[in-house]
């Protein structure tokens, strides 16, 4: 049995196990349109990870990374649904302003010859730092921003 057969067997076993142990609760969740889309997205991410991993003969790693990516995106979506809409909008605006400032600051370092060896690392760190600071400051000062 090849790796593809083992993967199909694992998926079938996993689905069968869910149907027996928590089938009623799981089917209610899947029949909900939001749950169906989430399950489909995780399955799509898993299959995409499998095919991307097959390029380097890393089937299992690709499958695990794909499914992990799908689950992380779903958890981020659930977290954003619990957050107030005003906070999401203000944090997005702060992120955009922080990234603009990081790009303006990084451009000054990219053209200097002594910074050419680690310019990408510097650029990446500046974007992370300024993006995070822009989001945090904007959310903490949202009353001042919105007036």
């Amino acid at each position: 049995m090849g790796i593809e057969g083992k993967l199909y067997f694992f998926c079938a076993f996993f689905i069968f196990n869910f149907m027996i142990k928590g089938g009623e609760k799981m089917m209610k969740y899947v029949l909900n349109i939001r749950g169906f889309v989430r399950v489909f997205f995780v399955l799509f991410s898993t299959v995409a990870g499998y095919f991307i991993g097959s390029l380097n003969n890393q089937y299992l790693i690709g499958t695990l990374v794909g499914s992990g990516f799908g689950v992380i995106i779903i958890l981020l979506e659930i977290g954003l649904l619990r957050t107030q809409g005003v906070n999401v909008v203000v944090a997005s605006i702060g992120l955009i302003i922080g990234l603009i400032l990081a790009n303006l600051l990084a451009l000054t370092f990219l053209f200097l010859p002594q910074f050419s060896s680690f310019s990408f690392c510097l650029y990446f760190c500046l974007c992370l730092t300024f993006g995070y600071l822009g989001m945090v400051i904007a959310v903490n000062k949202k009353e001042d921003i919105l007036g």
Side-chain angles (χ1 to χ4, degrees):
M1 179 182 281
I3 189 74
E4 294 170 353
K6 290 179 184 177
L7 182 65
Y8 293 138
F9 176 75
F10 174 74
C11 289
F13 177 75
F14 185 72
I15 292 170
F16 181 72
N17 201 12
F18 259 123
M19 290 177 75
I20 289 176
K21 291 187 177 176
E24 189 174 316
K25 186 186 288 186
M26 183 69 177
M27 289 310 290
K28 284 182 183 177
Y29 181 74
V30 171
L31 291 177
N32 180 0
I33 189 67
R34 184 179 292 162
F36 176 76
V37 170
R38 287 176 179 165
V39 170
F40 179 76
F41 180 74
V42 171
L43 288 175
F44 179 76
S45 299
T46 303
V47 171
Y50 173 80
F51 284 115
I52 291 172
S54 70
L55 297 174
N56 296 328
N57 290 330
Q58 300 289 328
Y59 299 101
L60 183 62
I61 293 174
T63 303
L64 292 176
V65 168
S67 61
F69 175 77
V71 169
I72 288 172
I73 295 297
I74 297 298
L75 291 175
L76 283 173
E77 178 214 353
I78 291 171
L80 282 175
L81 287 176
R82 293 181 181 173
T83 307
Q84 294 178 357
V86 174
N87 286 345
V88 174
V89 171
V90 170
S92 300
I93 292 170
L95 176 67
I96 291 169
I97 293 172
L99 290 176
I100 289 171
L101 290 175
N103 280 315
L104 290 174
L105 187 61
L107 284 175
T108 61
F109 291 115
L110 289 176
F111 294 114
L112 296 175
Q114 63 266 26
F115 290 111
S116 63
S117 60
F118 67 100
S119 62
F120 178 74
C121 180
L122 178 68
Y123 176 73
F124 185 72
C125 291
L126 282 173
C127 284
L128 281 178
T129 304
F130 277 81
Y132 174 75
L133 286 176
M135 284 177 37
V136 169
I137 291 171
V139 169
N140 288 336
K141 302 289 184 179
K142 71 179 175 188
E143 287 83 17
D144 297 335
I145 294 170
L146 297 177

